[in-house]
């Protein structure tokens, strides 16, 4: 029988001719159905909406370019939906229409005034762009402007100038537009009744996009800022092109050859990328970064808030969790709801959401969210439709593949337990006992960093969030700890924390900890990708990095003392997952994750200005004695 090789992200498939035929037929049918749906949506919008383009004045005289889609049926009044974006409201021109409107086409078909706005300093709007612009609590003059004031001025203009509005406004946005949505809820306009920050950028130093726990996310940041941070001297409908001169299909090779981060400016940006320069000028969590998170300002929130995130979000998992928690800490009078599903960045807004890579979720999670949660909740607050009676937290639990309803997040019933590292690569909920072996060690070489993915790619992608982790488990610079085979299900719901006791021969180090679900060798081959063997699959549940010099303070880094044991404790973000009976729980520890994260020289320096001579090998030890019990803590459901 003839066989064929197909290269897919994270997979190299060997398929028989029959399997290949069926696989391609399925893909063809799915693509054709999507094309038909897009055509129908596009036609509906043109037949039922009139597009307006306006320059809306702000209090300081700057005007913001705004696209407004108004229902042609004037027999009723409609609420306004607002999406403020730095990514363009394109297409430009009142005769050129978007092919989809609103959070989903459910809104367009139900009748809403749907508004998109280029934020200050982006695309066709006037002014100067400030990334994650700080909120100004006490505005004293007209030039004291921020995203909250620009939103309020926009809403006020829309209410006065767009006919047939019902006086109510809802806001939504994904990623950076999610940040702008969060800002709509701070010091909100009285007409704003509901805001839905989705995967909102919330803190570019602590956990979203650009840094995680102070470690620089090189691959995504370089590619993104090559366009996003490029100069824009005057309003334009065209964005700056992203960097493309990689000269190799391998991002690992490109960034390795690039050398220290300082070479980005020396060789590529030439000092002309303002946002990149800000990154390089602020290597610590100083006032610059602290002012840019909205979390301290999530007080007295008046509109209802629906915060949405994905467990496999490659960019902004931190944001939705911290936004929800920040509002909740201040006991809001209006509903504060959280939805977390099995999605990559923005995955809830498109597609069926039935699987990612090799992992099935056993139901169309995307339509469930759009039809059962988002659409009826907006309708309730903006059109007086029935209250969908949503729980405080609507959480998809991977592993068991079930939606769970909780009256708090994390669930009150979840109890903290620690997965302790043990001798001989063991992992257990039992604390370590006195024994001869009290540590494992490995040599970390910046010239041979551990790759973040088994794929060959120059753009980061999302597959590493659910990729089989066996490609790193056999490396000598990766420590592996594995539980016995589980005799019953173990369900975790809530925050995951790493608590390492470590030493190094250097003066700085990165520590990456991965929490992994190990499938049994006889696991059914139920991958959506034909031909995949799931026996022994290592599914990444949560992975996170910590730059050890920030172990005591993100604002004031401290060198590690060679040979001295230090505790390095850090947030790995939340998870909701069931490790099934017959599976194993694994933890991997390593000191590079390249080029997702920049290389640590393993020397206490300003890494953004380090030279090649600063990079050195170092031997790291991870301890697991009764006095130095390295562990990963999870919240376990009864």
């Amino acid at each position: 029988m003839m066989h064929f090789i197909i290269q897919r992200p994270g997979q190299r498939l060997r398929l028989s001719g029959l399997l290949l035929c069926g696989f391609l037929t399925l893909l063809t049918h799915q693509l054709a159905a999507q094309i038909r749906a897009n055509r129908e949506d596009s036609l509906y919008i043109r037949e039922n909406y009139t597009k307006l383009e306006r320059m809306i004045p702000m209090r300081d005289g700057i005007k913001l370019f705004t696209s407004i889609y108004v229902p042609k049926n004037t027999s009723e009044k409609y609420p306004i939906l607002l999406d403020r974006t730095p990514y363009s409201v394109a297409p430009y021109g009142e005769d050129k229409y978007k092919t989809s409107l609103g959070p989903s086409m459910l809104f367009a078909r139900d009748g809403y005034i749907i508004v998109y706005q280029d934020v200050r300093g982006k695309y066709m709007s006037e002014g100067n762009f400030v990334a994650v612009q700080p909120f100004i609590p006490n505005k004293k003059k007209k030039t004291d402007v921020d995203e909250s004031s620009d939103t309020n001025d926009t809403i006020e203009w829309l209410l006065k100038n767009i006919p047939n509005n019902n006086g109510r406004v809802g806001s939504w946005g994904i990623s950076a537009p999610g940040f702008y949505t969060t800002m709509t809820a701070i010091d909100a306009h009285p007409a704003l009744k509901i805001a839905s920050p989705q995967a909102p950028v919330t803190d570019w130093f602590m956990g979203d996009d650009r840094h995680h726990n102070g470690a620089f996310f090189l691959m995504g940041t370089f590619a993104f800022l090559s366009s996003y941070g490029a100069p824009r001297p005057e309003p334009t409908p065209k964005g700056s092109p992203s960097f493309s001169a990689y000269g190799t299909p391998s991002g690992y090779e490109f960034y390795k050859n690039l050398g220290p981060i300082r070479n980005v400016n020396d060789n590529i940006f030439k000092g002309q990328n303002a946002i990149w320069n800000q990154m390089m000028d602020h290597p610590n969590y100083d006032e610059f970064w602290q002012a840019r998170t909205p979390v301290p300002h999530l007080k007295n929130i008046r509109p209802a808030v629906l915060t949405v995130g994905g467990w496999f979000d490659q960019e902004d998992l931190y944001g939705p969790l911290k936004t929800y928690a920040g509002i909740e800490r201040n006991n809001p009078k209006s509903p504060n709801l959280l939805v977390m599903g099995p999605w990559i960045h923005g995955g809830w807004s498109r597609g069926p959401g039935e699987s990612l890579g090799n992992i099935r979720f056993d139901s169309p999670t995307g339509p469930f969210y759009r039809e059962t949660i988002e659409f009826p909740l907006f309708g309730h607050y903006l059109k007086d439709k029935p209250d969908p009676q949503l729980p405080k937290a609507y959480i998809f639990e991977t592993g068991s593949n079930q939606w769970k309803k909780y009256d708090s997040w994390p669930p009150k019933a979840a109890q903290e337990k620690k997965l302790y590292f043990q001798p001989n690569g063991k992992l257990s909920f039992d604390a370590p006992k006195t024994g001869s072996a009290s540590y494992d060690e490995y040599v970390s070489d910046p010239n041979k960093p551990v790759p973040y993915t088994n794929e060959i790619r120059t753009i980061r992608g999302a597959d590493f969030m659910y990729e089989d982790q066996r490609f790193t488990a056999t490396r000598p610079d990766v420590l592996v700890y594995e539980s016995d085979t589980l005799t019953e299900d173990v369900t975790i719901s809530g925050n995951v924390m790493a608590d390492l006791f470590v030493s190094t021969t250097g003066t700085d180090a990165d520590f990456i900890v991965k929490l992994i679900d190990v499938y049994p060798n006889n696991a059914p081959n139920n991958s959506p990708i034909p031909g995949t063997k799931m026996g022994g699959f290592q599914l990444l549940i949560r992975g996170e990095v910590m730059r050890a010099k920030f172990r005591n303070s993100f604002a004031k880094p401290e060198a590690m003392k060679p040979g001295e044991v230090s505790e390095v404790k850090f947030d790995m973000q939340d998870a909701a997952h069931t490790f099934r009976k017959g599976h194993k729980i694994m933890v991997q520890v390593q000191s590079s994750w390249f080029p997702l994260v920049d290389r640590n020289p393993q020397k206490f320096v300003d890494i953004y200005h380090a030279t090649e001579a600063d990079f050195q090998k170092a031997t790291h030890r991870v301890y697991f004695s009764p006095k130095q019990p390295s562990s990963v803590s999870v919240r376990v459901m009864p």
Side-chain angles (χ1 to χ4, degrees):
M1 178 181 293
M2 183 176 292
H3 288 78
F4 300 85
I5 301 295
I6 292 181
Q7 190 75 38
R8 282 172 57 87
Q11 295 289 329
R12 191 169 184 269
L13 307 179
R14 185 173 185 268
L15 304 180
S16 69
L18 187 59
L19 271 176
L20 176 63
C21 182
F23 186 54
L24 293 179
T25 299
L26 176 62
L27 290 178
T28 300
H29 284 315
Q30 290 175 340
L31 180 60
Q34 187 61 55
I35 291 173
R36 284 195 301 272
N38 290 344
R39 287 176 177 169
E40 291 172 1
D41 291 344
S42 180
L43 180 61
Y44 183 89
I45 293 168
R46 285 185 172 275
E47 290 179 343
N48 291 276
Y49 282 82
T50 299
K51 182 184 178 185
L52 308 174
E53 293 185 336
R54 299 291 186 267
M55 294 294 291
I56 298 181
M58 301 294 104
R59 63 192 64 182
D60 63 345
I62 293 296
K63 296 179 180 179
L64 304 187
F65 188 94
T66 309
S67 292
I68 307 164
Y69 292 81
V70 182
K72 291 181 179 180
N73 180 359
T74 59
S75 65
E76 60 179 287
K77 295 184 181 296
Y78 303 95
I80 297 170
L81 289 175
L82 176 62
D83 180 18
R84 306 187 67 243
T85 178
Y87 299 140
S88 172
V89 303
Y92 296 93
E94 290 188 340
D95 61 337
K96 296 180 175 61
Y97 283 62
K98 286 182 176 292
T99 57
S100 180
L101 288 180
S104 74
M105 277 299 293
L106 293 169
F107 292 84
R109 293 180 181 276
D110 194 50
Y112 283 81
I113 298 168
I114 303 175
V115 180
Y116 297 88
Q117 185 176 73
D118 286 336
V119 298
R120 181 181 293 253
K122 278 294 186 179
Y123 288 90
M124 290 297 289
S125 284
E126 298 174 352
N128 296 317
F129 177 66
V130 178
V132 284
Q133 179 164 318
F135 174 69
I136 303 173
N138 300 308
K139 300 176 179 66
K140 298 179 180 179
K141 51 187 183 297
K142 287 185 177 181
T143 54
D144 288 342
V145 294
D146 55 24
E147 305 305 341
S148 177
S149 67
D150 281 357
T151 299
N152 286 349
D153 292 350
T154 297
I155 291 176
E156 188 68 17
W157 188 95
L158 291 169
L159 293 174
K160 292 179 178 178
N161 291 277
I162 301 301
N164 295 319
N165 76 77
N166 72 356
R168 300 184 193 182
V169 181
S171 62
W172 95 100
I174 299 171
S175 194
F179 165 81
Y180 296 106
T181 303
T182 301
M183 300 306 287
T184 69
I186 298 173
D187 195 19
H189 191 286
L192 185 71
K193 304 305 179 183
I194 181 171
S196 183
Q198 303 179 6
V201 171
T202 301
D203 196 316
W204 262 6
F205 193 88
M206 296 303 298
D208 284 317
D209 295 299
R210 313 281 72 92
H211 303 76
H212 285 212
N213 293 315
F216 188 57
F217 267 48
L218 171 62
M219 193 179 196
T221 299
F222 170 76
F224 177 70
L225 291 187
S226 66
S227 171
Y228 196 69
R232 190 218 67 161
E234 60 184 18
T236 173
K238 296 182 178 179
S240 299
S242 298
F243 179 84
S244 60
Y246 291 97
T248 171
S250 169
Y252 188 98
E253 179 183 350
F254 170 79
Y255 288 102
K256 184 79 174 353
N257 292 338
L258 182 63
I261 289 181
R262 63 184 296 165
N263 291 345
V264 171
N265 247 339
D266 291 347
N267 301 334
I268 301 173
F269 290 159
K270 307 294 185 181
Q272 299 302 303
N273 191 302
I275 304 178
W276 181 271
N277 292 341
Q278 290 174 338
M279 302 279 167
M280 299 301 101
D281 292 341
H282 298 278
N284 308 323
Y285 199 55
D286 57 15
E287 291 181 2
F288 174 86
W289 290 117
Q290 293 172 26
R292 279 165 164 71
T293 175
V295 172
H297 307 291
L298 296 174
K299 304 171 183 177
N300 303 314
I301 300 298
R302 294 187 294 270
V305 178
L306 174 67
T307 304
V308 184
W311 290 129
F312 299 96
D313 193 322
Q314 71 278 19
E315 298 176 35
D316 298 306
L317 173 62
Y318 178 99
L321 297 169
K322 297 312 189 246
T323 297
Y324 166 81
I327 296 173
E328 196 65 12
R329 275 195 300 271
N330 291 296
N331 298 310
K333 295 180 181 180
S334 296
N336 177 39
L337 309 179
L338 175 68
V339 177
M340 295 295 297
W343 306 304
I344 61 171
H345 195 59
W348 50 90
S349 67
R350 59 188 182 269
E354 293 179 320
S355 65
L356 283 175
N358 291 298
I359 310 304
R360 291 187 183 274
F361 304 124
D362 297 337
S363 66
T365 64
F368 176 82
Y369 161 75
R370 296 188 292 272
E371 297 169 7
T372 307
I373 300 174
E374 182 180 54
F375 180 64
L377 188 67
F378 271 77
H380 173 64
Y381 284 100
L382 300 179
K383 290 191 170 188
D384 291 326
K385 292 188 176 183
D387 187 343
Q389 300 292 324
L390 298 175
K392 187 81 171 172
Y394 222 144
I395 307 296
F396 189 87
E397 185 179 278
T398 55
S400 67
N401 291 344
Q402 298 177 12
W403 283 100
K404 295 295 183 73
K405 299 179 180 180
Y406 298 114
D407 59 8
S408 67
W409 182 260
K412 294 183 179 70
Q415 299 296 313
E416 182 182 17
K417 290 188 177 182
K418 294 186 176 183
L419 287 160
Y420 291 100
F421 302 179
Q422 308 280 358
N424 303 313
K426 295 293 185 180
L427 187 70
S428 171
F429 284 115
D430 297 326
K433 299 177 181 178
T434 303
S436 56
S438 61
Y439 65 83
D440 288 323
E441 69 177 22
Y442 58 97
V443 176
S444 175
D445 184 354
N447 287 319
K448 298 178 181 178
V450 180
Y452 85 102
T453 180
N454 201 34
E455 296 182 278
I456 304 299
R457 60 186 309 144
T458 55
I459 303 300
R460 177 200 55 224
D463 291 356
F464 73 96
M465 293 293 292
Y466 42 85
E467 184 176 12
D468 190 345
Q469 297 299 302
R470 281 179 288 191
F471 74 98
T472 60
T474 57
R475 285 182 59 117
D477 51 357
V478 177
L479 301 181
V480 177
Y481 301 93
E482 188 175 55
S483 74
D484 292 335
T485 301
L486 299 177
T487 57
E488 59 183 18
D489 289 356
V490 174
T491 298
I492 62 172
S493 292
N495 57 299
V496 181
M497 295 286 296
D499 188 4
L500 305 182
F501 291 86
V502 296
S503 66
T504 178
T505 57
T507 52
D508 192 15
D510 285 352
F511 291 97
I512 294 95
V513 175
K514 299 176 182 177
L515 179 64
I516 294 166
D517 185 345
V518 181
Y519 287 37
N521 288 329
N522 63 350
N525 297 322
N526 59 358
S527 167
I529 303 174
T532 302
K533 304 294 185 183
M534 295 300 293
F537 190 90
Q538 295 181 5
L539 174 62
L540 182 65
I541 302 304
R542 193 60 64 235
E544 194 54 281
V545 59
M546 176 69 184
R547 191 141 282 173
K549 66 182 179 181
F550 296 121
R551 65 197 179 279
N552 295 321
S553 169
F554 286 100
K556 298 179 180 179
E558 300 175 27
M560 299 183 76
K561 296 180 180 179
E564 183 176 297
V565 178
S566 298
E567 184 176 14
V568 178
K569 190 173 185 178
F570 59 97
D571 186 359
M572 293 179 62
Q573 309 312 322
D574 298 6
H577 180 76
T578 293
F579 297 88
R580 303 308 298 259
K581 176 182 177 181
H583 289 223
K584 296 179 181 180
I585 304 174
M586 176 184 286
V587 171
Q588 294 181 6
V589 181
Q590 59 200 60
S591 286
S592 49
W593 212 9
F594 189 76
L596 182 69
V597 179
D598 70 321
R599 296 175 300 152
N600 192 318
Q602 305 183 138
K603 180 180 180 181
F604 184 69
V605 294
D606 176 356
I607 298 177
Y608 299 154
H609 297 93
T611 67
E612 196 70 59
D614 291 318
F615 289 76
Q616 61 185 12
K617 290 183 182 180
T619 299
H620 305 318
R621 288 181 174 178
V622 178
Y623 295 82
F624 40 78
S625 67
K627 293 184 178 180
Q628 297 160 339
S630 294
S631 65
V632 172
S633 66
V634 293
R635 288 182 176 269
V636 178
M637 295 293 288

